[in-house]
Structures are given as structure tokens and as C-alpha cells.
Amino acid sequence: MSALDNQAFNQAFHRGMWAEGLVAALATLAVAWPLTQLLREDTWLVPAVLMVGLVALTGAVLRTIDAPPSVVSLGQLALGLAGLMQLYLRDSLWRGFLPTSETLPLAGELLREAGVVLQTYAAPAPTTEGVAFLVVAVLTLTSISVDSMGVTGRAPASAGIPLAAGFLVSVSNSGQAMEPWYFAAVAALWLVMLAQQGHRVVTAWPSDSRRESVGSDDVSSGIPRHKGLAQVLGIGALVAAVAGAAAIPHLPPTFFGEGLARNPDAREVQGGTGEVSFTETMDPTQDLRNQSQEPVLTYRTTAPRLEPLRVTSTEKWEDGRWVAPDRDEGPIMPVGEQIPAPEGLSPEVPTEEQTLTVLGNALPAPHLAAPSPLASVRTGNGETFRYDPTDATVLLDRAAPRYEATWLALPGGTELPEGTGAPLEDRSAFPEEVLEVDDTTTASIDDLTEEIVGDETNDLAKAIAIQNHFRTEGYTYSLELDPAAREDATDPIGGFLDTKIGYCVQYATTMVMMARHEGIPARMAVGFLPGEVQTDGSRKVVAANAHTWPELWIEGMGWTRFEPTPRVHAGPPPAYARTPAEGAAETETTTTTTRTITPSVNPTPPPTPVEPTWLDRLGEILPWLGRILLGVLVLALLMAVVPFVGRRYREAGLRSAEDVGDEVEGQWTLLTRSLQDLGVEPPPARSPRDMARHYEGETVLNRRSTEALGRVTATLERSRYAPPAATAAKDAERMREDVQAVVEDVRRDTPWNVRLNALLLPRSGMDGIRAWFNGDFRR
């Protein structure tokens, strides 16, 4: 590589600010460091590093080719959005590249999923795809902001704003007082950014041969040495910040600003919240232990018999645990279609509609709680839903603060038609999962099931016998399980049967497996017990009212609820599943409460409906926001055309140059048009020296730039009036450096609004567009 090529390479590297871009990227990643303590899995980490690296690389490359700052930022934003879509929204892209009408709704769904997780779980929260998308998107935007301000905009002090915002959100929710190394990492990298910019500014000052008078003293040339003072100030500020952070008392931490922070109980580190987690895990253990009295549901009903509020169900049992259903599979009905009649319910079975009016609902979308089987659902604020007939579950598009549901109930004392519960004739019509018993479980339940069922052939009678076994044979309800009955045990169902100690999950699971052993399709439902009655006649359901129960397919009744969990923690079985003794001993209005309060004749007004959450509002405005952002992006891309055309127009003479003389003239054109963008009118067509005097009078140049302007005019004069051999290629190359020095000096002293206009709407760009339309600007 020649000395000229090496110099050009160094200048391009210097112009690209590669080192500064690297430090900005590291500072952004340092902001995300506390998130490793907030999220359970690190699946977001590699995509975050890739996206931050992509933003930094894009900025460095665009700066290297001397793209305008606005183009640099827009290029980073465009590639950042493209990268996010490739990572998380690829399935919605046309041919895997262009966004479609499904892209924005999918992004909104991922954000809603992230909101549900971050509001439901205490740290560390599970890193679902939605959470990873949210974290990586925020870090990508933070990286673009930091790079645009601190590197491209050469204002690292301003870049501290997005760094501080991201840092405070993550570190204040880490579950403990702020660790000093989190702050030290971000502060150190930010100080490095400041130092890099300071060094760049100082080295751009006059050359070593310059001497200037300051007051009565003559200051020698060279870079002033303020390193010692800067080090003292920087170290002092860092020590003071760390010491102050350690000394200031910390309030109990919250989680991601929302979620736990929305409930007063959640501000206690050990306190519960009004949120539930079983909708994601299918295991209500955490909810059953929740001590919060924040309502999950508040409702009224006139039904004479209270029933559990069903949320969802599952038929998948894997590795000793229930797995949430996959809603991407199955024939989910379109929005707006009515809920069909319950599958398998004979018209000969008498039913009556009962109504539930929900006054306040904190369940996140898509979940809805109501007794089963559902007949209809009506929401109050325009929420829509779809119905999954495979497991009779309603899926809301967004949380419904209020809604009304009707369900079909059997009237008291109903006689079931003859033939109800007859053995199934065709089990092949059911999925394998609802009849599957894994090998480990089979060994534990075979003998006991056959002993309980005996010679009975009717499926309903079999189910009642299995149910009553758990309610009458000395089983104990407890959340504290023997190790043999826990989820990670080799045979959790066998451990439960041996110890006879468990909670609703163990009772429901074991009955499901026993029913399957007898050839009865069975699954597990999850929801809530009816909750506590309030003084105004309404009922309040809290997280600790979470409950599970088995649903069995009974011929003539369809999917039917049973209640094997002991009465003290679950209430009585449904009327059709009781023995005569139970029917006499337990009144139809028995509930989980130990007291009965008769609603007053004139009840107090219903509670004020729950205000929509920020996620609800986000779901409403996302489509409009997407259109606005698309319009802004299109406008920004159109505005980016003007700076691009301006640069092409300023450099038109250089691209068409065929010899050294043409290149010199091209450099002079570049100088005049660049200064014109900065508000300096071009000189009249006179001699080079007269034109130089014009610029000296119209601008304020330092000594270095004045000397550079002198060399520029001398080269132009020699090129125009001296023999061609008098001007060499090295003269044109030196002229390029001098032109750049003059323009940069003028730009530094130009008001910020003029500089901004020169970046976004340069006069050369408008002149270039007019020249293009006139046919004068073709290259």
C-alpha cells in the first residue's frame, strides 16, 4: 500500500469514527447488564448483541463513505427494524423480507405477551419470545439513539440521556439495591465517549506551528494538556456517585415499572399480587400460596348454585406435569361467531341458562373466566373474542374489564335421561391425548382403579366412584407435598396415592388418569373457586382461589365437571355427581365460604369498573401508531433524498473529472456549493485571489483554515493559468484536504439552525433536483 493509499485509509477510518462507535455499542450493552438478573433465560442476549453490533457497524460504514448524519441515522433505523423483523416477525413477512398486514399485529401480540409475563411473574421472569422481542427492540432503539447522538452527532454528553433512561429502568427493578459495578460499567464507558470526543476536538485545533496571543501572554502551539484535571474530576464524580448510591436508602424494588408496581401489595418484597400465573404454567401452586387480597375478579350472579369459574383446560401430560395447550393448533373459530351448543350434551338433559356479570376483571388477555358450559359472552368495551371448541375456551383479543356470560346449568333435582353415561362405542373419535396414560402412571393406578370401579360398566357411575374415593378415604389437602409426589419425582401420581397428601392438582390429575385407564376421555380444567361474598352481594375472587378439576366425557352430557378435591377446599361435587347421602347433607348453595350473607334488597351500586391498562390502550392505538410511524418513515425517506442529491450535486465536477485540471475545478465547485449550504453566498466570477478575499470577508476562519484557503486558491490559479505540467495529482489531493478543512471550520462557527438545514434540506440538494428536472444534472 502506497503512502497515499495509507493516508486515504486512515482518513476514512477517522471519518467513520469506528472506535467511538464500538464504545457506544459497549455502553448500550452495559445498560442491559442488570437484565441478566431480571430474566430467567438469556435467550435475548445473543440477538441483543447482534442488533447492537449491526447498528454500530451500519453507522461506521455510512460515516466512512461520508454519508450525511440524517442518512446515517435513517440507515441505522431501517436496518434495525429489518433485523428485528427477521429475528421475531419473519413468519409475517412476504417472501421473508417485506412486511405485510400481519406484521404489525404480530408485533403487538408479542408486546402484549411480554406485558402479561412482566406483570405476572416476580423476578427472575421467564424469557418468552415476547419478552425477548421487547428487550431486544428497546436495546436496538437505545443503541440507535446513543450512536446518533454520541458518535454521528458528536455529542456524547447528550447520549447520556438514553443511556441513563435504560439503565435506571433495568437497575431499579433488579430486586435488590443497586450494585456499584452496574453503574461503574456504564459510567466508565460514557466517560470514555467523552474523552474520545474531547481528544478529537482538541487535535483539530491549530497545528504545532501556530502561536496566538491570549491576554498578555504568548501561548506556545500544541495540544493543551488538561488530562490531569480531567482525570481528577472524572474519578471524583465516579466515587461520589458510587458512594451516594450506597448511602441513599432504597425503596423496595418493583418489577419493570408496571406489573408489581401497580398493586400496593407488590411493593413488599415477599408480598403477593393480584395476578395469577396458572394461565401460563397450568400449575396453580404459586397462586394458591398468594396472600394478596387484590381481586382478580369481582362479579354478581343470581344462580342458585355457585360453580367454579373455568379459564382453560389441557389434555397434555408430559414428564410428570401438565402442559398449556398450543393455541396455534386446532379449529379456533373466527371473530364474531357465536359460541356453539355444548358438544355431546343431549337435548333430553334439562338445562337452564344462568348469568354471570363481571364488574372488574384483572385477568390478562386472552383469558376469560366463567362457569361451563358457556352459552354466550358479551363484552362491554368493544373487545372481541374467538372460541376454541376443542377445549371450550374463550380467547379475548384484549383484556375485558367488564363482561357478561351465560352458561347452561342443570336444575336442582334433575333426573338424567336413561342411557346417560353409557360406555363409549367409538373412542377413535377422540384425540389420543385424552385417553393416554403414560407407562409410569399406569403401574400406580391399575389395581386401585379396578378396586374402586369394580364391576360397574356405566361411565358416570365409574366417575362418581373414583371421585368419592378421594373425598372419603382419608386423603389430606396440603400444599406441602412429600418428595415422592412432587413434579420432579419419578412417579408423582404414585407418590400422591402412597402418601394421600396433596392439593387440587394431585386430586384432579389422578382422577383424570384413572378415568383414562377405564377408557373414559378426560382432561384437566383450570380456573377459580367462586370466591368470597361481599357485603353488597357481589363476590370477590383472589389469586388464592385458583383451582383445578377433572373434566370427563360422559355420554349424553359431553365434557362434564367432577370434584375429587376434599370439600373443605373445593366445595361439594356438582348435583349429578353426588350420592343420595351427599345430596341430603349438602345444600345446593354450599360454597367455599363458611358464612352466608343474604344480599340486601337495595344493594349498593356496583364497583367502579377497572380502568383499562396501558396494554389495553396500546392494543387500541397500535394500528394507528403503525400507520403514523409508516407515514413518518416514508416522509423521512423522502427527506433523505434531498441530502443525497445535494451531495451528488456538490461532487458532480469530481465524478466527471478526466484530468488533474478537472479535479481541481471539481474541488473548487465542491467548496463553493458546500459553503453556500452553510449560508455563504458564492463569490462573483473573478480571479481566484479575489474570490479568496470574498470568502475571507464573509467568514471567520482561524489561521489553519486561512492558510488552507490560500493554498486552495493558489492551486486553482496555477491550474487555470500555468502550464498543465505545473499542477500534479498530489496538488489536487492536498486541495481536497484543504477544502474539507475550510468547510469544517465554517460549519463549526455556523448557527445550529443553519447547520441543521444544511443537513436536512441543503440548498445544493434543491439546486440538484431542479438541475435534474432541467436535464443539466445527469451524473
Side-chain angles (χ1 to χ4, degrees):
M1 182 181 292
S2 66
L4 188 60
D5 292 338
N6 187 47
Q7 183 181 10
F9 175 80
N10 290 335
Q11 289 174 344
F13 184 83
H14 184 75
R15 185 169 58 247
M17 305 176 75
W18 290 75
E20 289 88 339
L22 175 61
V23 175
L26 292 176
T28 303
L29 293 176
V31 165
W33 185 11
L35 295 179
T36 57
Q37 303 299 315
L38 294 177
L39 301 175
R40 192 177 302 162
E41 298 86 15
D42 290 338
T43 53
W44 60 274
L45 188 55
V46 172
V49 173
L50 291 176
M51 291 304 302
V52 172
L54 175 64
V55 169
L57 180 63
T58 302
V61 170
L62 291 176
R63 288 189 296 268
T64 298
I65 62 176
D66 206 15
S70 57
V71 175
V72 175
S73 299
L74 288 173
Q76 290 174 312
L77 180 60
L79 284 182
L81 293 176
L84 287 172
M85 289 191 293
Q86 287 295 321
L87 287 172
Y88 297 103
L89 306 173
R90 187 177 179 83
D91 292 341
S92 69
L93 302 180
W94 182 70
R95 297 188 181 276
F97 179 70
L98 294 177
T100 64
S101 59
E102 299 177 358
T103 303
L104 193 60
L106 178 57
E109 185 61 33
L110 289 174
L111 291 176
R112 281 192 290 270
E113 175 193 317
V116 170
V117 172
L118 299 182
Q119 292 173 12
T120 301
Y121 290 88
T127 310
T128 64
E129 186 177 14
V131 172
F133 172 70
L134 174 63
V135 171
V136 175
V138 169
L139 286 176
T140 301
L141 294 176
T142 302
S143 178
I144 294 172
S145 300
V146 172
D147 194 274
S148 297
M149 293 181 181
V151 185
T152 305
R154 302 186 181 186
S158 300
I161 297 174
L163 287 174
F167 174 74
L168 291 175
V169 168
S170 58
V171 78
S172 64
N173 293 289
S174 61
Q176 55 188 351
M178 184 181 69
E179 300 292 351
W181 48 80
Y182 292 151
F183 173 80
V186 179
L189 289 167
W190 183 57
L191 289 174
V192 171
M193 293 174 64
L194 292 173
Q196 287 176 321
Q197 177 65 9
H199 181 74
R200 178 179 289 270
V201 170
V202 170
T203 53
W205 287 358
S207 64
D208 290 346
S209 62
R210 178 177 179 182
R211 296 173 64 86
E212 62 182 12
S213 177
V214 179
S216 59
D217 299 325
D218 208 15
V219 181
S220 298
S221 61
I223 301 174
R225 300 298 178 181
H226 302 301
K227 183 187 296 184
L229 177 60
Q231 288 175 338
V232 171
L233 292 176
I235 294 174
L238 186 60
V239 171
V242 173
I248 296 174
H250 293 269
L251 296 175
T254 59
F255 189 58
F256 278 98
E258 292 289 339
L260 296 181
R262 292 165 58 186
N263 296 322
D265 295 331
R267 292 193 177 276
E268 300 175 9
V269 176
Q270 302 299 327
T273 74
E275 304 287 350
V276 293
S277 62
F278 69 74
T279 54
E280 307 296 332
T281 64
M282 304 305 294
D283 183 357
T285 308
Q286 180 178 342
D287 306 310
L288 292 169
R289 298 178 186 274
N290 197 323
Q291 300 301 310
S292 173
Q293 292 303 304
E294 289 291 319
V296 177
L297 288 169
T298 305
Y299 70 95
R300 292 176 182 272
T301 181
T302 57
R305 290 168 302 280
L306 297 173
E307 299 186 19
L309 308 177
R310 186 182 188 274
V311 175
T312 185
S313 70
T314 182
E315 55 199 36
K316 298 181 181 180
W317 172 263
E318 296 178 0
D319 300 326
R321 57 186 291 269
W322 290 104
V323 180
D326 186 357
R327 297 297 177 190
D328 293 333
E329 302 176 359
I332 300 178
M333 297 169 59
V335 172
E337 288 200 14
Q338 296 297 317
I339 296 175
E343 184 181 6
L345 181 61
S346 170
E348 298 179 6
V349 175
T351 59
E352 58 185 13
E353 281 196 1
Q354 301 292 349
T355 302
L356 176 92
T357 302
V358 174
L359 309 172
N361 173 37
L363 269 180
H367 306 292
L368 178 142
S372 182
L374 272 173
S376 67
V377 172
R378 184 173 61 188
T379 58
N381 293 321
E383 300 87 359
T384 58
F385 68 87
R386 295 182 299 164
Y387 184 76
D388 189 345
T390 58
D391 62 353
T393 299
V394 172
L395 305 174
L396 291 167
D397 67 326
R398 54 191 173 90
R402 299 172 67 98
Y403 60 88
E404 183 178 282
T406 60
W407 78 96
L408 301 179
L410 271 66
T414 298
E415 292 290 336
L416 296 176
E418 185 177 352
T420 302
L424 288 178
E425 295 181 359
D426 182 15
R427 293 188 176 89
S428 64
F430 294 87
E432 294 182 0
E433 289 86 351
V434 298
L435 289 164
E436 183 179 17
V437 182
D438 62 62
D439 296 337
T440 303
T441 300
T442 300
S444 303
I445 65 174
D446 277 357
D447 295 339
L448 179 60
T449 306
E450 293 172 5
E451 177 185 342
I452 294 171
V453 172
D455 297 331
E456 185 60 65
T457 58
N458 183 278
D459 286 349
L460 178 57
K462 289 180 181 181
I464 294 174
I466 296 172
Q467 169 192 268
N468 290 344
H469 168 78
F470 295 108
R471 299 176 67 88
T472 60
E473 295 298 323
Y475 285 82
T476 302
Y477 184 97
S478 175
L479 293 176
E480 302 301 328
L481 301 179
D482 186 275
R486 293 174 185 167
E487 183 181 287
D488 55 357
T490 303
D491 181 11
I493 293 178
F496 165 66
L497 292 173
D498 288 341
T499 61
K500 294 188 175 182
I501 298 174
Y503 51 95
C504 56
V505 174
Q506 285 69 43
Y507 291 98
T509 301
T510 308
M511 183 168 177
V512 166
M513 296 304 168
M514 286 183 167
R516 292 180 179 180
H517 177 272
E518 290 298 308
I520 305 173
R523 64 193 183 194
M524 188 185 77
V526 187
F528 299 97
L529 292 171
E532 288 278 351
V533 67
Q534 305 300 297
T535 56
D536 64 352
S538 66
R539 284 188 169 268
K540 182 177 76 170
V541 175
V542 297
N545 292 134
H547 187 51
T548 62
W549 59 89
E551 290 182 341
L552 280 55
W553 180 274
I554 303 299
E555 194 68 23
M557 299 179 70
W559 288 105
T560 308
R561 176 177 69 91
F562 292 87
E563 189 53 83
T565 305
R567 173 174 176 265
V568 67
H569 290 283
Y576 53 78
R578 299 179 195 170
T579 62
E582 287 178 312
E586 296 175 336
T587 65
E588 291 181 347
T589 55
T590 303
T591 69
T592 56
T593 63
T594 58
R595 60 194 179 97
T596 301
I597 300 178
T598 304
S600 60
V601 177
N602 297 313
T604 57
T608 303
V610 178
E611 289 294 327
T613 66
W614 68 271
L615 283 174
D616 299 332
R617 297 191 179 95
L618 178 63
E620 295 174 355
I621 67 172
L622 266 178
W624 292 101
L625 181 61
R627 296 187 184 97
I628 293 173
L629 290 177
L630 181 61
V632 171
L633 182 60
V634 171
L635 180 62
L637 291 175
L638 291 176
M639 290 183 63
V641 171
V642 178
F644 175 76
V645 173
R647 177 170 180 172
R648 299 278 297 177
Y649 186 64
R650 293 192 299 270
E651 297 176 351
L654 294 174
R655 290 193 304 276
S656 61
E658 297 180 356
D659 53 28
V660 175
D662 291 342
E663 186 171 353
V664 169
E665 292 293 338
Q667 292 291 351
W668 179 256
T669 300
L670 174 62
L671 174 65
T672 57
R673 291 176 177 175
S674 297
L675 294 180
Q676 190 176 18
D677 288 343
L678 295 171
V680 181
E681 291 297 325
R686 296 177 181 174
S687 68
R689 295 184 183 182
D690 288 337
M691 290 189 291
R693 283 192 287 270
H694 167 82
Y695 280 130
E696 289 175 352
E698 294 294 325
T699 61
V700 179
L701 300 176
N702 60 28
R703 182 173 179 177
R704 177 186 177 187
S705 300
T706 301
E707 293 173 352
L709 180 61
R711 290 191 295 270
V712 167
T713 53
T715 303
L716 179 65
E717 188 176 47
R718 188 165 57 252
S719 174
R720 287 182 176 179
Y721 306 126
T727 307
K730 64 178 182 179
D731 296 325
E733 177 63 25
R734 179 61 186 271
M735 184 177 181
R736 185 187 70 80
E737 298 175 7
D738 289 335
V739 166
Q740 184 177 359
V742 172
V743 173
E744 287 297 324
D745 190 22
V746 173
R747 180 180 286 114
R748 274 196 298 269
D749 291 332
T750 301
W752 68 269
N753 57 324
V754 178
R755 293 200 306 268
L756 182 63
N757 188 73
L759 288 175
L760 301 179
L761 293 171
R763 181 172 174 179
S764 58
M766 306 306 295
D767 292 342
I769 293 175
R770 282 193 291 269
W772 184 80
F773 278 110
N774 294 332
D776 298 331
F777 177 34
R778 302 183 183 276
R779 291 185 290 179

